Amino acid sequence: MAMLWKFMRVAKYSKTALSPKGKVRGIPTHSRCSSSKSVPSDFAASAPPSNSVELLGKSYPQDDFSNVTEKILSKVGKNLHNRKHHPLWLIKEQVKDHFYKHYVGRRGTPLFSVYDGLSPVVTVQQNFDRLLIPQNHTSRRKEDNYYLNREHMLRAHTSAHQWDLIHSGLDAFLAVGDVYRRDTIDSTHYPVFHQLEGVRLFSCHELFSNIQDGEGLQLFEQGHRTAHKQECHTMEAVRLVEFNLKQVLTKLMAHIFGDGLQVRWVDCCFPFTHPSFEMEINFQGEWMEVLGCGVMEQQLVNSAGAQDKIGWAFGLGLERLAMILYDIPDIRLFWSEDERFLKQFIGPHIWQKIKFQPLSRYPPLINDISFWLPSETYCENDFYDLVRTIGGDLIEKVILVDEFTHPKTKKVSHCYRLVYRHPERTLTQDEVRHVHQAIGEAAVRGLGVEGRF
């Protein structure tokens, strides 16, 4: 693998959340806004007041790579995973409890240490270079990440801390935190979400001590070693690490979702020295891919100072697990301050069975927006980020419903359907119209599109 593991994905967890694109019927609609009233300042995107960004007590100079917005900056430091009785905190505590009880060191203390207060501001080197992600890899694009400048960014995954924690001498740890990615807009995606990942390294003795006649087994094939790379893993070592990881994750998921959970494994076609696999879970009749995991790239392990060790790593999304476990339908609810939502998760212990009781289901309002794209400079994530900046959590979903190429000019037009729905109150057509107009005007100014509204 060029990376530690494949980025966490959820193929499907319900039949409605990831439904195919299509028209929405039977609900109030409003398209082609034409009002010329000014936009309320609450919705207007504000430009940074200076050439630097102040964040968590530090100042970061801006440059041509800076693209983090005020809306995103306002989320930094919220640390929902550390807010007691929050559903993300409950999931984190359940995972911690499981690892503390089932993985104990020689002295009776927990084998895995937990780090859930690491700064979300990391260097590009931490987020990409130390994870051996190539310079030209698509995951580095400005369109997909939030950069403070060319050297610093908001972490795109908790893997950004992996090298440092291994370098500090840790062999087993869990890292938890908020991560930031520019992405599509729907009920399962949000530009800020929370990850928990685990790492475990094994020495030759630890891996083979319980294997009959394992004295002659080795971690690495005989070969040339450099300062930055060890020899290839032996097949025996790879299979044992893979088996251990499968056991760990199967037990964890069964502990959270119940013993009746069915688990199947799908092996991916990677060279045997860098195997990867993804865990799929059958929950309430749906197969769900919830984890990305695999045997760690040995070059990374070696460069972090853990010579003569082999290990695995996994990453999981707390929101995904909480939405499944508690039946939460919309990822925006995790940011709600509504007591009707928060009080539902207060209980005598972290393992209390909870099923989310929906708040009043407020009706959606739908507006379409169409524009001609500029030549070769348009990125959909730029538009999504602009929509989030102006509309905030009023936006439930954005769908590309039509793409048209003019037969003569060859210009391309996109038509997006914006679904407005406040999670805590009913929206009016008037306030939505103002927001929608602001989005259209900002798209023309900021993205260089030609409006068709």
Side-chain angles (χ1 to χ4, degrees), residues 11-13 249-254 256-258 260-266 278-291 316 321 324:
K12 51 182 179 175
Y13 73 92
L249 292 178
T250 300
K251 290 178 181 178
L252 173 61
M253 292 296 105
I256 292 177
F257 292 107
L261 192 72
Q262 298 181 50
V263 175
R264 69 178 181 180
W265 295 89
V266 180
E278 296 162 351
M279 191 166 96
E280 298 189 0
I281 301 173
N282 188 319
F283 186 77
Q284 295 183 349
E286 289 268 354
W287 287 109
M288 296 171 299
E289 174 187 306
V290 296
L291 292 164
L316 58 89
L321 297 184
I324 298 167

Side-chain angles (χ1 to χ4, degrees), residues 10 72 107 144 195 262 303 328 336 359 366 428 451:
V10 172
I72 296 301
R107 300 179 181 178
D144 297 325
Q195 280 189 341
Q262 298 181 50
S303 68
I328 298 173
S336 175
L359 311 179
I366 296 178
T428 67

Side-chain angles (χ1 to χ4, degrees), residues 401-442:
V401 294
D402 183 63
E403 184 172 353
F404 169 73
T405 301
H406 195 283
K408 293 183 179 180
T409 66
K410 304 302 179 183
K411 294 177 64 176
V412 178
S413 170
H414 278 187
C415 178
Y416 293 91
R417 179 153 295 160
L418 278 62
V419 181
Y420 295 81
R421 192 202 309 259
H422 198 289
E424 298 167 7
R425 65 180 177 84
T426 299
L427 292 173
T428 67
Q429 285 281 13
D430 192 53
E431 64 181 313
V432 167
R433 179 165 48 83
H434 290 317
V435 179
H436 198 69
Q437 179 183 344
I439 291 172
E441 293 173 351

